Structures are given as structure tokens and as C-alpha cells.
């Protein structure tokens, strides 16, 4: 058994063992939130040609003064390529996105013009290039549009669509397996007998994993299975997932049931026991490129453990900063207990005109769910810290 | 045609016309991010009985001093209901979540105890109730667990699972239709002819809507359809969606093509023309409880218009604060143009030890996509404001 590992050291060990995911092709319209696996470069300038930026009139001169008059020619249709060049005294109707005819270097918007028969009168001063989108002004040919390892957001989708990209190569969604080891814990939908506890951790972990771009592909419960069956089920599941989260299990006289189980299926310990409250009896192991996490069966400890150990790995897989930096916040209501170990208190943080403010949520026992419901921040109280008085500054990790 | 409507007035008009969504039943494991339609109350206390909070030994006395000794009895199994009461001198092994036998009001954790044969020695001082989860300490019977109109997060899922909730009633996901009216705009996957523009707005809107808990269920393009066909397609789509977003369309001499189309299908104008840059030629109409939005065809104006007008409605449907409050941020690089109308500049905001800092992103023309790619904030510059100098404070809306 290894000694206690600091939180930072444990996180380091995990981030050095990031699972390798397969690459898969998806259609652009299904790519939101996926991690692109390749750099995509511009194969042409954007826009491709000089275009009008407004609905109005293309002018045959590069500029105009108020009351300048132009002869209006017709026969210009949006979506058609203009063939004839405009003469300096001519103007032609054009819509936003219309390709400019040769000879045109400025466009007057319709609302800044007046028409008398076939004569167009300009009502404002126009500078050369005004209301013109120049070819390549947004992106130039060869420029990198999206770099590999980026999680695709709406702006990336828009940009790739503008380039006609139909499919992109992305990392496979991380598959996560959950194994609940508590011998009195039953699936939450099952009939409950006295002495049994409904498993709220598995559905909570499904939701948390989904929020970090992963997918819980299977959930197992140890209840009613003997040791050999549990070991076989764990080994079997490990072949099908990228990450495995075990919750609960006994921890008697320094011997962790999960640690023993993980070792029995050939996984190598990364760390065991991290001095944090709640959930110090936590650990992780690796098996090839797969990671196995041991989290507490207590709901709040499971929640905190997920955010401290599992979420950073999922974020790293998405090319994101794995560990959000702690920020300073005013703790409005304080926390009455002195910290033995480093303590992660569940809070609700809000940004106010005076900076960040965090409220300690009620129900802070590790076994209670209440503090999780509105939790959007962990208050990080150092080991040995005295009680936090109301109004004092604390360090928070925004979730 | 109505006159110009302020942004706040337009948002008010929209929020007074929130669509009514159907109610549907979903399984709890599929309920993440959905809006619950009912209050759910606790039908029992949580936990249901006094339980052990640790793996350890239930003691026959309510407290203990260091070196107190107890006679260890056996035959106690997790998940079974204890029948015999503990005598004051007795102790019995118990796991986390195990129901306490009668006579027990404290539990010693295994790591704070030592065993010699059938004798248990306590190694720390124990107070009455220590390491005991009292029945109802997390939630009491009849308490509201989740209130109607809440968007369900991982904590709600955990809590409802702890109560064995299998299915919940939620609002139907808002169905959104997108109609691209630009006559030279083609679907982004289609072959592109010179003079045509690929539609990046529809896929961007699909992604944005998904981020606000809605779903774009259909997308249409006007290209190649005549006026009657477009009107028929719009009217047809309106029967199948809760919100409709039209993008682009001509706007010549004060006449908006979208406004005319919306009126032709019997929708009533809510507002037209809002003095904001980019995208002032915007409007909305209602048809029964359905909302129709007219957004610019320019990508950046479409993006800004979505966040100013559509997102608040989707958030309101989710019981969330529809309009995020503006917060103050230091603008690191400034913005060189004076604002005519109120201007929404795309920025990238970060929280630093000195407060919020925002960077004006490159590519701020309404026709350009570049500023959208990393945009996480809109910088809200009042009408008539001079250029923003680097380092000055601005108001930002976090997206």
C-alpha cells in the first residue's frame, strides 16, 4: 500500500495517463461538442470574391459625394456573375452577398439613396471600398480554420459550414463504465427492502459524465454477486470502456475492497488515499491506456471525487484546461468547522458587482445529497484552517 | 410599419409571448437538462432509518472514551434489519449505510479501533450521535425536492434517484424551425456556384439552439423557390414548430421581405427594427403561442440577434433568468470605432485575479465569421459612445 498522495500529485498522475480514444467521422451537423482530431485549413479565401455587404446599389465610381447622380442600369440578378463592367456614371441594384461587377469599388445602401426614374441619387458620402466585402477579408487561403483537439462550438460549426465541410474526424466519445460496490446498494428503480440504499451515484455520474462530453455506456451493481462474479464483471467491463468508476465498497482496517479488486484484474495502482474531505478513501489504477477510479459511495464524496479526479481527465481528452484555477470569493455565510484535512465544501457562487460571492450550501455531511442540488462551486479550504467567518475570502473552484 | 423599438422593449414583448410547450414523461436517466413540469415532494424521510455513516462498529453506549472496551458480537450483515438490541457493553461490525441496531447511538470507525479476539478497543473519544446518519437528516417527509420549471442537473438527478423516481414529467423540448431566405444562399453541403453563398447560419443556429436546450427540427432554404412556394413552406413549417427563425431576406427601401412574409401567413408583428449594431433590421411576430424571429443573414448579426432575442425565450422556457445581467470588465485591447447605434461587439472574456477582462476579437464586420469562433461575451457599447481605449471598463454580457 502506497502512502497518502497529495491532490495535486494524484491529478498529475492521472493526467499523465490520459486514455487514447479512437477517431471517428461524424457529419458536421452532429459535431457540436465533439473534439476535432485534425487541423482544417481554408482551401479558398472567404469570401471567394468581392461582394456587396448591403442591399443597395453598386456604383461605377470608387466613391461618391452627397447628391451625386448615377444612371441606373438593370438586368442584375443576385447569384449571377456580372459580365459587363460598370461605367463611372452607372449604378446597378445589388443585394447583400452579390458579386460586384467590374469597375465597382463602393456600394450605396438603399436607404441612403433615392431613385427618380432611371436616375439614382446618392444621399451620403461614400469612401472607396465602403459596403464592400473584399475577397479573403474573413479568411485567406491556407489559413488554419480549426486546430486539432478543439471542442467544436457554434462558431466552429458556422465556419466549417461556410467552407462546405460535410464531415469531420473527431475523437470517439469517451465510454465510461460505472460499478457500484456497496453490498446493500440497489439500482434506484428497484424495489427497496429495509436496510438497502438506493444508488443515487450511478445516475448522478451518468449526468456528470455527459456534462463533460463523455457517455456512461454501462452500469453494474455488486449487490447479490459474490467476489468471483464481481471480479469477472469488472474485468469484462474494462474491455469495453475507456474509463471505469467504482463507487463504494468496504474499507476496513486500511484494506480497500476496490483496490484489491482492481489489482486482482491486473490494473496497476496510481495512487490510494488522498487527504481531502469528503472522500479521502479514493484511488486510481491503470490498465493499459484505461483508467479506473475508486470513489466514495457517499453521495457528496462521490460528487467531489468526480470533479477532482474524473472531470480533469475528461476535460484533458477534450483539449481543454483540465484543472480550473482557484479564484477568490467572499464567503457570505461562512463555514463553522475547522478543517482537519483539506476540505472541499459545496457552494453556490455568483458574480456580483463587488466580485465573486459564494454561499456554503446546507447539508454538508458526505452522506447527504442536499448540498449537491444547487452546487456550482467547491470551496477549497486548506488543511488545518480555522472556521471560515462570514464575509471572509476563500478560494473556490467553479464547476 | 412600427417605429424602432428599444432592445429592452423588444425583449419584454418576446418574454410576454412565451410559447406553451407540451408535457411529456421521460425516464430519469434521460432527464438531464430537461425542465421538470411538476413539484416533486419527499414521500419519506431520507435516510429512512438511522444508519451508520462509516465502516466500523456500532456501540452499545451513546458515547465512548479512549481505551473503552466492548464485547464484539457477530452475526451482523449489511442490508439486514437488526432484530436484537445492543447491550451497553456490546459492539457489532457495521458498514456505511447499515441500519443501526436498537441501543446504538454512536459508531466508531474501523481505523479508530483495535480488536483483540472478541474485544473491541475504542481509540478516540466518541460523542453521542457520532458517525450516525439520522433518519430524515437529509430530507424530511413532505419536503419539496424539486420545484416545477427547474432545469434538471446532476444533483437533482441524484436526489430523485435516491427517492426511486423512475419517470418525471418534463416540458417537451422546444422545436425550432430555421428558414433561410437569401436568394443566393445555398445549403452548406450543396455544390457551390459562383455568386452563391454557403449557408453557415442554419448549422450555427442548430448548435446555438441545442446549447439552450432546444432542437432545430427542420431547416429550409428559399433558393430556387418562388414567393408562393416560400409562403406555403413557411406556413407549413409553422404548424410543426414552437419557434421559427428566418434569416436573411431582402430589405429594400424600408420594406422587409421577412415582415411581409410573416404577415402573409397571418402572424402579428411584435416589433421591427431595433437600434443595435450589427443586425438592426430584425423583428419578431407571433402566431398563437408560436414565435417567429427575423434575424439578419450576416453571420455575426445572426449570432448576436440569436443571443439578444432567441436565447432569452429559450432560457425563459427553462425557468432560467432570461437576461443575464451585464457585468463590468476591463477591455484589454479597446475598440477603435465610435458607436452610432448601441453596438454589441464580440469578445473573449476571462476572469483574472483583478476581475473580468475582455478582449475584442478580430473580424468585427457583420459579414465575417472570425469573431464568432472564440466569442464567449458580447461587449455592450451604448449609442454614441466614443472609441473604447485599451484598458477601459466596459459592460459585457457573458454567453
Amino acid at each position: 500500500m502506497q502512502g497518502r498522495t497529495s491532490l495535486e500529485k494524484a491529478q498529475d498522475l492521472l493526467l499523465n495517463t490520459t486514455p487514447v480514444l479512437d477517431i471517428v467521422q461524424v457529419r458536421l451537423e452532429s459535431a457540436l461538442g465533439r473534439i476535432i482530431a485534425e487541423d482544417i485549413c481554408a482551401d479558398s479565401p472567404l469570401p471567394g470574391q468581392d461582394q456587396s455587404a448591403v442591399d443597395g446599389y453598386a456604383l461605377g465610381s470608387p466613391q461618391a459625394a452627397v447628391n451625386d447622380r448615377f444612371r441606373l442600369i438593370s438586368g442584375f440578378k443576385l447569384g449571377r456573375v456580372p459580365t459587363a463592367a460598370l461605367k463611372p456614371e452607372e449604378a446597378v441594384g445589388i443585394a447583400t452577398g452579390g458579386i460586384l461587377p467590374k469597375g465597382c469599388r463602393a456600394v450605396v445602401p438603399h436607404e441612403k439613396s433615392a431613385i427618380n426614374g432611371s436616375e439614382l441619387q446618392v444621399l451620403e458620402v461614400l469612401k472607396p471600398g465602403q459596403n464592400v466585402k473584399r475577397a479573403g477579408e474573413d479568411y485567406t487561403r491556407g489559413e488554419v480554420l480549426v486546430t486539432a483537439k478543439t471542442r467544436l462550438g457554434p462558431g466552429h460549426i458556422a465556419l466549417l459550414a461556410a467552407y462546405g465541410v460535410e464531415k469531420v474526424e473527431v475523437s470517439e466519445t469517451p465510454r465510461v463504465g460505472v460499478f457500484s460496490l456497496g453490498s446493500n446498494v440497489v439500482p434506484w428503480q428497484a424495489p427497496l427492502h429495509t436496510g438497502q440504499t438506493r444508488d443515487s451515484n450511478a445516475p448522478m455520474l451518468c449526468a456528470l459524465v455527459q456534462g463533460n462530453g463523455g457517455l456512461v455506456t454501462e452500469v453494474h451493481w455488486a449487490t447479490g454477486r459474490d467476489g468471483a462474479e464481481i471480479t469477472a464483471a469488472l474485468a469484462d467491463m474494462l474491455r469495453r470502456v475507456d474509463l471505469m468508476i467504482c463507487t463504494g465498497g468496504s474499507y476496513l482496517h486500511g484494506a480497500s475492497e476496490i483496490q484489491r479488486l482492481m489489482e486482482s484484474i491486473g490494473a496497476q495502482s496510481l495512487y490510494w488515499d488522498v487527504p481531502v474531505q469528503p472522500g479521502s478513501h479514493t484511488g486510481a489504477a491503470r490498465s493499459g491506456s484505461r483508467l479506473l477510479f475508486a470513489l466514495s459511495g457517499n453521495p457528496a464524496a462521490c460528487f467531489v471525487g468526480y470533479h477532482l479526479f474524473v472531470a480533469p481527465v475528461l476535460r484533458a481528452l477534450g483539449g481543454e484546461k483540465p484543472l480550473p484555477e482557484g479564484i477568490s470569493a467572499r464567503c457570505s455565510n461562512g463555514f463553522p468547522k475547522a478543517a482537519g484535512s483539506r476540505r472541499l465544501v459545496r457552494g453556490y457562487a455568483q458574480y456580483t458587482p463587488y466580485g465573486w460571492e459564494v454561499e456554503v450550501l446546507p447539508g454538508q455531511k458526505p452522506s447527504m445529497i442536499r448540498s449537491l442540488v444547487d452546487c456550482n462551486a467547491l470551496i477549497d479550504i486548506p488543511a488545518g484552517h480555522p472556521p471560515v467567518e462570514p464575509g471572509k475570502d476563500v478560494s473556490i473552484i467553479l464547476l
Side-chain angles (χ1 to χ4, degrees), chain A:
Chain A
M1 172 116 142
Q2 291 156 252
R4 291 202 140 197
T5 311
S6 75
L7 175 55
E8 284 73 13
K9 174 74 180 159
Q11 288 170 330
D12 269 359
L13 288 165
L14 288 170
L15 293 173
N16 290 330
T17 320
T18 305
V20 178
L21 301 175
D22 289 341
I23 304 300
V24 65
Q25 227 181 30
V26 297
R27 299 187 60 80
L28 185 63
E29 58 268 42
S30 310
L32 181 68
R34 302 297 296 266
I35 313 305
I36 198 157
E38 45 179 351
D39 283 357
I40 298 192
C41 294
D43 60 4
S44 58
L46 184 71
Q49 301 88 13
D50 287 356
Q51 296 175 349
S52 174
V54 294
D55 293 334
Y57 299 91
L59 305 179
S61 68
Q63 61 201 73
V66 175
N67 291 330
D68 276 4
R69 288 175 160 76
F70 293 82
R71 182 160 47 79
L72 205 50
I73 61 170
S74 62
F76 220 77
K77 227 177 134 78
L78 187 62
R80 296 278 165 75
V81 187
T83 47
L86 275 183
K87 296 191 184 104
E89 70 278 13
E90 289 177 341
V92 66
I94 196 160
T96 307
I99 294 180
L100 297 185
K102 278 210 178 68
C104 164
R105 278 172 52 217
V107 181
V108 58
H110 67 86
E111 63 265 40
K112 305 291 185 187
S113 65
I115 291 174
N116 298 304
S118 67
E119 191 185 70
L120 176 89
Q121 188 183 353
V122 170
L123 303 178
E124 70 169 1
V125 175
L126 286 175
K127 289 174 289 187
Q130 199 156 344
N131 302 314
V132 169
K133 297 194 260 186
R134 282 177 295 100
E137 74 172 13
D138 204 354
Y139 285 85
T140 56
R141 186 189 170 117
E143 209 178 334
V144 177
L145 300 173
V146 186
T147 49
K149 282 255 178 196
T150 301
R151 194 182 288 280
L152 296 176
H156 303 112
I157 304 275
L159 181 56
L160 295 176
Y163 273 94
V165 172
E166 273 187 80
K167 293 178 178 179
V168 284
E169 302 216 312
V170 298
S171 296
E172 200 43 296
T173 300
R175 296 161 304 169
V176 180
V178 173
F179 209 113
S180 168
L181 285 166
S183 59
N184 64 331
V185 170
V186 294
W188 83 97
Q189 324 92 321
L192 191 70
H193 301 295
T194 310
Q196 293 183 330
T197 298
R198 289 196 188 98
D199 180 26
S200 59
N201 288 331
M204 178 180 77
L205 289 169
C206 290
L208 290 169
V209 164
Q210 197 178 325
N212 285 116
L215 188 69
V216 170
T217 48
E218 48 191 298
V219 180
H220 296 268
W221 289 270
T223 304
R225 293 176 170 183
D226 68 21
E229 287 169 340
I230 293 169
T231 308
L234 274 178
D236 194 39
M237 179 161 84
L238 190 59
R239 281 189 283 272
R240 294 186 298 264
V241 300
D242 303 301
L243 305 179
M244 186 158 85
I245 306 174
C246 295
T247 62
S250 64
Y251 191 93
L252 291 166
H253 295 288
S256 157
E257 182 185 358
I258 301 193
Q259 184 175 14
R260 192 174 39 72
L261 279 168
M262 286 187 180
E263 283 167 1
S264 76
I265 60 171
Q268 289 129 26
S269 276
L270 286 171
Y271 61 87
W272 293 94
D273 290 326
V274 179
V276 290
Q277 283 181 286
S280 65
H281 295 329
T282 188
R286 63 179 290 180
S287 172
S289 81
R290 296 175 164 87
L291 276 172
L292 301 85
F293 296 88
L295 300 183
S296 169
N298 269 327
C302 182
F303 178 89
V304 168
Y306 173 84
H307 284 293
L308 296 182
F309 304 109
V310 186
V313 171
L314 288 171
R315 277 198 295 269
L317 286 172
E320 292 152 293
K321 214 164 154 178
L323 299 166
E325 273 159 56
I327 59 178
S328 180
R330 183 182 167 277
C331 184
S332 56
N333 53 346
F335 186 72
K337 284 190 180 178
S341 308
R342 181 171 176 178
R343 193 190 279 270
L344 283 310
V345 172
R346 277 77 63 211
Y348 178 71
Q350 274 183 299
Y351 189 74
T352 76
Y354 314 103
W356 283 98
E357 191 159 296
V358 68
E359 178 196 340
V360 172
L361 291 166
Q364 290 285 336
K365 278 195 180 183
S367 59
M368 289 165 76
I369 297 177
R370 186 180 289 270
S371 75
L372 311 181
V373 173
D374 295 318
C375 178
N376 69 357
L378 297 178
I379 306 171
D380 187 357
I381 304 180
H385 194 281
V388 176
E389 281 168 47
K392 289 284 175 198
D393 282 349
V394 289
S395 175
I396 63 171
I397 302 166
L398 286 176
L399 304 181

